[in-house]
Amino acid sequence: MDDHIHLHNTAADCPPPGGFCRTHELNIQLLAALYAVSRALSRSLDFKDTLHEVLRVLHDEAGLTRGLISVVDPESGKLAIRTIYTPDGHIADDAQYGPGEGIIGLILEKPRTIKLARVADEPRFLNRSGVYAGELPFIAVPIKVGGNLQGVLAVQPEGPEDGLIEERAQFVEMVANLIGQNLRLSLEVEQEKSSLVEERDLLRRTVRHQFGFDSMVGRSAVMRRVFEQARLVAKWNTTVLIRGETGTGKELIANAIHYNSPRARNALVKLNCAALPENLLESELFGHERGAFTGAVESRKGRFEQANGGTLFLDEIGEISPAFQAKLLRVLQEGEFERVGGSRTVKVDVRIIAATHRDLEAAVDMGDFREDLFYRLNVMPLYLPPLRERIEDIPEIARHLLAKIGNDQKRKLTVTDLAQRRLASHDWPGNVRELENCLERAAVLSEDGRIDVDLIRFPSSRERSASKIPRAPTGPAPEAPPPGPAEVDINDPALSERDRVIAALEQAGWVQAKAARILGMTPRQIAYRIQTLNIEVKQF
Ligand SMILES: Nc1ncnc2c1ncn2[C@@H]1O[C@H](COP(=O)(O)OP(=O)(O)O)[C@@H](O)[C@H]1O
Ligand SMILES: [Mg+2]
């Protein structure tokens, strides 16, 4: 290529003292242009935007036209034209140059500056982009990032070669260096962005997998219906009330609803209403202003504000006092509240999912739960039946839980048929949570990962009925039934309410309707008492 390069003796060109030489004039012009280029590049990190602006500056201020910037495509390794600037407009072309193809391809082969006094004289000139003027000079320089070729900057001076191509080429090299630095920055930003996005998407997928509907198993008809209803209600903002005994999967369903809803990108905030005394519950939910109470040294957002745009899961909603029910009702009705100790009204957009193991209808009857709040919450009720009412789900749930436990223990766990049968015969008052604990215990006790019937143990023997449990023939004979209940005066003021209800039940032979009559209650009321007083119902 060297035969095409004009090395120019600039000193010979200079006019006598008193006037500027042409070189000097050009350098001043190019310095101003360089300044404009650096400003264009610093304006934005959006590379595509700035490239075109750089080419415009080269045209308007440096007399370098038909600018072309092509960038190496990381996949094909070819140079793809990103942007071309001609005096009559901006042309974007898809032309690609491989190594050795055309003049620009020469740079791919060996990164270097190419200077041609008249481009048409160069046999390898392809003019693939169709924009070059053959009679004009041509300058192409590599754009490098950290020593690696990332692209090519090519221009044509707007007039025929005037002996100053060397100065112009140096200037184009400086511009290419600036572009390279800018490209490195924007590549780094791009990379960081995409790795953040990747990380976020991975997290989201994991969360969705962990809390999506596939984390819940159960093929019984009741559970299939619950899943179907939950899936349907997930996509709306409808308030959901999840009912069911403790350990039946209420929280799991709440997760699945949130993570399958349009709010999945926003927060799912949880609060167990039974876990906090009332005054704390209020500031926890609504937040507080500074100085609202002793210890409130900073103002704080409550769970409602944290859940803005997302979902608030209120667990054990049946446990809140009537005074607190009234406060909650207002937020549910108006979507607004004040922080504790504050006067500013806060507005929020929150989807509510509530859960309780209580019989709320009975609580309403008893005057313990506000009817209006009940109706506010009970828009879409979902009922999770106790495990003992869906024993056909036990094998599958057990397998699912064992896979989870096995994953933690990094080994494969299996369960024998006999053990499965024992699982199916248990009453599971603690439902799936109890099953989970039972299996974890068994897994810990198992040396080889096989869980046989002897490892299935229940800490409190609350099995459903003696006849269903396989007993060793040599074992002790079943206990004789306890002697008949001693007569207790249910009106004895010394009796606690719990004892009074138990006494009535004993007298009624555990027939609830009969016990209710003894106590002067409705069957619903006694059912509620049995639940709230945690009375274990005997079944005969
Ligand atoms: N259908 C189910 N499939 C798999 N795991 C379940 C299922 N139901 C409950 N679990 C598990 O049982 C445990 C208790 O569930 P949870 O949602 O906390 O119950 P609740 O809120 O009703 O007390 C959790 O570890 C949960 O993952
Ligand atoms: Mg729970």
Side-chain angles (χ1 to χ4, degrees), residues 210 213-218 223 227 242-255 313 315-316 355-357 384 387 390 393 396-397 400-401 404 430-436:
Q210 239 166 13
F213 287 107
D214 24 325
S215 70
M216 293 200 78
V217 293
M223 287 309 283
F227 295 150
I242 308 171
R243 324 273 299 258
E245 289 179 9
T246 174
T248 46
K250 297 187 294 295
E251 188 165 343
L252 208 57
I253 272 277
N255 280 319
F313 176 57
D315 204 359
E316 308 288 10
T356 182
H357 67 278
L384 292 174
L387 194 55
R390 42 179 163 121
D393 283 346
E396 196 195 351
I397 295 181
H400 172 86
L401 295 173
K404 207 162 82 172
N431 296 293
V432 186
R433 185 175 292 111
E434 186 189 357
L435 176 59
E436 197 169 13

Side-chain angles (χ1 to χ4, degrees), residues 248-404:
T248 46
K250 297 187 294 295
E251 188 165 343
L252 208 57
I253 272 277
N255 280 319
I257 291 174
H258 171 76
Y259 286 107
N260 286 280
S261 79
R263 294 171 176 259
R265 284 160 181 269
N266 299 321
L268 167 63
V269 176
K270 300 179 180 180
L271 184 66
N272 184 338
C273 300
L276 292 171
E278 188 133 329
N279 56 337
L280 283 186
L281 186 61
E282 184 171 1
S283 80
E284 203 49 50
L285 264 186
F286 304 130
H288 59 74
E289 295 296 354
R290 218 174 117 188
F293 47 82
T294 334
V297 282
E298 304 250 291
S299 67
R300 212 175 119 226
K301 273 188 184 180
R303 305 281 170 112
F304 261 107
E305 282 176 83
Q306 290 167 14
N308 197 15
T311 306
L312 179 61
F313 176 57
L314 295 173
D315 204 359
E316 308 288 10
I317 192 79
E319 311 306 309
I320 59 177
S321 74
F324 199 76
Q325 291 167 23
K327 289 183 183 140
L328 192 59
L329 183 64
R330 182 181 156 222
V331 195
L332 297 191
Q333 272 170 344
E334 277 135 49
E336 58 180 47
F337 57 91
E338 287 87 37
R339 287 182 181 174
V340 175
S343 51
R344 191 170 54 93
T345 300
V346 182
K347 253 194 152 356
V348 286
D349 162 32
V350 169
R351 189 230 187 122
I352 303 285
I353 302 178
T356 182
H357 67 278
R358 294 256 164 145
D359 179 352
L360 284 187
E361 286 88 344
V364 168
D365 281 354
M366 302 287 295
D368 289 340
F369 203 85
R370 288 180 70 114
E371 195 172 11
D372 42 10
L373 179 59
F374 172 71
Y375 286 118
R376 266 282 151 190
L377 293 171
N378 198 36
V379 183
M380 178 70 188
L382 290 179
Y383 174 66
L384 292 174
L387 194 55
R388 63 185 164 279
E389 287 176 16
R390 42 179 163 121
I391 39 180
E392 67 266 45
D393 283 346
I394 292 177
E396 196 195 351
I397 295 181
R399 268 195 302 276
H400 172 86
L401 295 173
L402 276 179
K404 207 162 82 172

Side-chain angles (χ1 to χ4, degrees), residues 87-103:
D88 30 311
H90 169 213
I91 304 171
D93 196 337
D94 284 336
Q96 287 210 335
Y97 297 90
E101 279 181 70
I103 297 169

Side-chain angles (χ1 to χ4, degrees), residues 26 38 69 95 130 165 178 183 185 208 211 246 308-309 322 324 332 341 349 357 384 388 421 428 435 450 497 501 529:
L26 178 70
S38 72
I69 294 174
I165 195 167
L178 287 179
L183 182 59
L185 266 178
R208 209 163 274 190
F211 296 120
T246 174
N308 197 15
F324 199 76
L332 297 191
D349 162 32
H357 67 278
L384 292 174
R388 63 185 164 279
R421 247 180 290 159
W428 303 114
L435 176 59
R450 205 173 80 103
E497 180 168 39
V501 175
R529 283 287 184 273

